[in-house]
Amino acid sequence: MKEKLIQKFKELYGDGGDIRAYFAPGRVNLIGEHTDYNGGHVFPCALTIGTYVIARKREDKKLRLFSLNFSHLGISESSLEELYFHKKFGWTNYPKGVMWTFHQKGYRVDEGFDILLYGSIPNGSGLSSSASVEVATAVMLKDFFGFDMSMTDIALFCQYSENKFNGVNCGIMDQFSIAMGKKDNAIFLDTSNLNYQYAPLDMKGYRIVICSSNKKRGLGDSKYNERRSECDRSLAELQTVLDISSLGELTTEAFEETKEIISDPVRVRRVRHAVTENQRTMQAVQALKKGNLKEFGQLMNQSHISLRDDYEVTGPELDTLVEAAWAQKGVIGSRMTGAGFGGCTVSILEEDCVDAFIREVGRIYQEKIGYAADFYVVDIGDGARKI
Ligand code: GLA
């Protein structure tokens, strides 16, 4: 792949100079959804599919960006001196945002780049293609300019970029798992302090299958921000009676005792999700440590129900995929993953059942929703790196 892309780069921008290559994975979250901006736990892993960046530094401040996924758009030209967000800039907002963030944080990016990008993550599938582009860009900048920064710094910078440049108030999960991923491991991350542990996933005899609903996210980003502010408002109310700094500090019992203080019944449900999902995530990691994949799967299923009924971020497409998955032979657990409102589901199932699963769930989805879902049998890979 790398050689092919370098060849393409040379055809596009010419030969010579110091051409370098980088890769950042996509991610899938196994459990712990909409907990990362509430100081709770998450349990994602990096995938072997992701974003490739081929780059060469320039001597001026020009930026030339080209994506093989959007080749019809041609080369987009801009300059380090005019980095600002605009919807019409499409995918190029992501690398630009990261360069802007480095400036903001006092890291001098004073020479431009020629960049060729290729993503093997299906666009809009909910596997974090945008965070993958961000982290790949940050790893590239660190390498070319020799910046002294950790992979955690990189994750935080990319989150900052997504929040402040792209206007999506996401938590740290995507950027962190993409920066820190480890082959055949999931990451148990406490988002209140960024402490983390790798948890080996012994998948012998099982596979992780992603089903993409192919539903366009549409209002997804604004709904996402809305959920986040619902949680923030509820936290402020709870803080009038409890000494907590995030919803992640609440036990289910403490929530039950104090929930009356939340002035809106809808927001009571939002908080119930944030609290119970955090508990489920901790429980799920314990189950995995004991080798109890069955319990892990049941917790995944409960996670989906909570996201559907309390957090209300699923919708008919994701519900259809998950309910169809639950009914299939060999399925350990299935749930929506990522932000929701479209995007995809994650299922763990017996290897021998994968073909029948894809056929049946695909058929049910097509019949009920009216268009096809896509299926990916994925592997867990390492985090972002130079290749
Ligand atoms: C998106 C955000 C993450 C996280 C998930 C929901 O992927 O980028 O920070 O909040 O949604 O768990």
Side-chain angles (χ1 to χ4, degrees):
M1 176 63 78
K2 178 181 156 188
E3 273 64 43
K4 241 174 79 186
L5 292 174
I6 290 183
Q7 192 47 42
K8 192 80 205 156
F9 179 96
K10 289 177 179 167
E11 282 165 28
L12 202 66
Y13 296 118
D15 207 346
D18 180 9
I19 302 171
R20 304 186 193 179
Y22 306 87
F23 175 79
R27 68 94 187 92
V28 64
N29 188 23
L30 298 179
I31 192 161
E33 217 65 83
H34 289 278
T35 48
D36 67 344
Y37 49 83
N38 285 313
H41 293 80
V42 292
F43 198 51
C45 40
L47 301 173
T48 52
I49 50 176
T51 309
Y52 295 82
V53 164
I54 314 293
R56 180 173 57 204
K57 197 142 65 107
R58 300 176 54 91
E59 279 165 9
D60 55 16
K61 293 190 188 293
K62 227 190 230 178
L63 271 181
R64 293 201 291 175
L65 299 160
F66 179 87
S67 165
L68 280 172
N69 302 76
F70 299 99
S71 49
H72 61 282
L73 299 177
I75 297 175
S76 142
E77 280 206 21
S78 53
S79 153
L80 287 174
E81 276 156 347
E82 40 157 22
L83 294 173
Y84 61 95
F85 175 88
H86 198 293
K87 243 181 124 173
K88 72 174 181 210
F89 297 152
W91 72 271
T92 68
N93 283 309
Y94 296 108
K96 284 180 189 168
V98 174
M99 293 179 195
W100 174 86
T101 299
F102 274 61
H103 282 287
Q104 295 287 308
K105 301 280 183 186
Y107 289 83
R108 279 177 66 99
V109 176
D110 46 14
E111 284 152 312
F113 286 92
D114 289 338
I115 290 177
L116 171 106
L117 194 132
Y118 170 68
S120 55
I121 309 171
N123 286 324
S125 60
L127 300 176
S128 267
S129 53
S130 57
S132 174
V133 172
E134 288 161 359
V135 176
T137 306
V139 169
M140 177 203 87
L141 292 176
K142 172 184 152 90
D143 184 55
F144 266 108
F145 291 102
F147 293 137
D148 180 20
M149 55 173 60
S150 67
M151 289 309 276
T152 304
D153 294 333
I154 285 193
L156 287 165
F157 279 25
C158 292
Q159 181 198 16
Y160 184 92
S161 174
E162 184 84 42
N163 293 169
K164 307 285 182 208
F165 194 83
N166 288 282
V168 179
N169 272 327
C170 68
I172 189 65
M173 172 172 72
D174 302 346
Q175 290 82 3
F176 194 92
S177 51
I178 288 168
M180 306 292 286
K182 183 170 162 185
K183 186 171 162 39
D184 296 332
N185 280 258
I187 308 174
F188 182 43
L189 171 68
D190 180 344
T191 63
S192 69
N193 53 19
L194 298 191
N195 287 342
Y196 66 96
Q197 279 170 21
Y198 290 112
L201 280 184
D202 179 7
M203 295 299 292
K204 260 186 234 97
Y206 296 93
R207 296 306 304 254
I208 298 176
V209 179
I210 311 280
C211 313
S212 174
S213 68
N214 288 329
K215 177 180 185 222
K216 292 278 157 279
R217 276 258 292 271
L219 286 175
D221 290 349
S222 60
K223 284 276 175 211
Y224 182 91
N225 288 347
E226 181 186 294
R227 288 295 176 280
R228 188 166 179 159
S229 56
E230 285 170 340
C231 288
D232 290 346
R233 275 184 68 191
S234 309
L235 174 65
E237 286 176 350
L238 287 163
Q239 281 169 330
T240 60
V241 293
L242 287 173
D243 182 22
I244 51 168
S245 52
S246 76
L247 297 180
E249 289 171 28
L250 272 183
T251 60
T252 314
E253 294 73 38
F255 162 71
E256 288 298 336
E257 279 163 22
T258 46
K259 65 182 182 198
E260 271 76 42
I261 206 83
I262 303 170
S263 59
D264 167 6
V266 170
R267 284 193 288 109
V268 172
R269 287 193 283 117
R270 304 293 190 248
V271 175
R272 186 164 61 204
H273 168 75
V275 172
T276 57
E277 181 74 355
N278 188 34
Q279 306 296 324
R280 272 189 294 275
T281 306
M282 293 189 272
Q283 231 180 305
V285 174
Q286 284 309 317
L288 203 65
K289 279 191 182 151
K290 288 183 289 180
N292 192 343
L293 201 58
K294 209 164 165 212
E295 186 186 346
F296 188 88
Q298 281 157 1
L299 290 159
M300 286 174 75
N301 298 348
Q302 288 168 22
S303 162
H304 185 82
I305 293 169
S306 178
L307 287 156
R308 182 189 68 193
D309 299 343
D310 279 346
Y311 220 61
E312 295 182 281
V313 291
T314 60
E317 297 81 5
L318 293 173
D319 290 338
T320 300
L321 285 174
V322 165
E323 279 156 31
W326 287 343
Q328 301 309 310
K329 194 165 157 263
V331 173
I332 301 294
S334 182
R335 55 181 288 275
M336 61 147 268
T337 183
F341 315 105
C344 58
T345 68
V346 56
S347 308
I348 299 182
L349 57 145
E350 287 170 21
E351 194 159 24
D352 297 343
C353 299
V354 169
D355 290 345
F357 173 92
I358 293 177
R359 211 176 325 114
E360 265 310 284
V361 176
R363 184 187 62 75
I364 294 168
Y365 188 77
Q366 170 82 48
E367 238 170 65
K368 196 156 170 201
I369 302 297
Y371 51 83
D374 285 321
F375 295 85
Y376 307 93
V377 184
V378 294
D379 293 307
I380 301 176
D382 285 316
R385 60 200 181 266
K386 191 173 183 180
I387 53 173

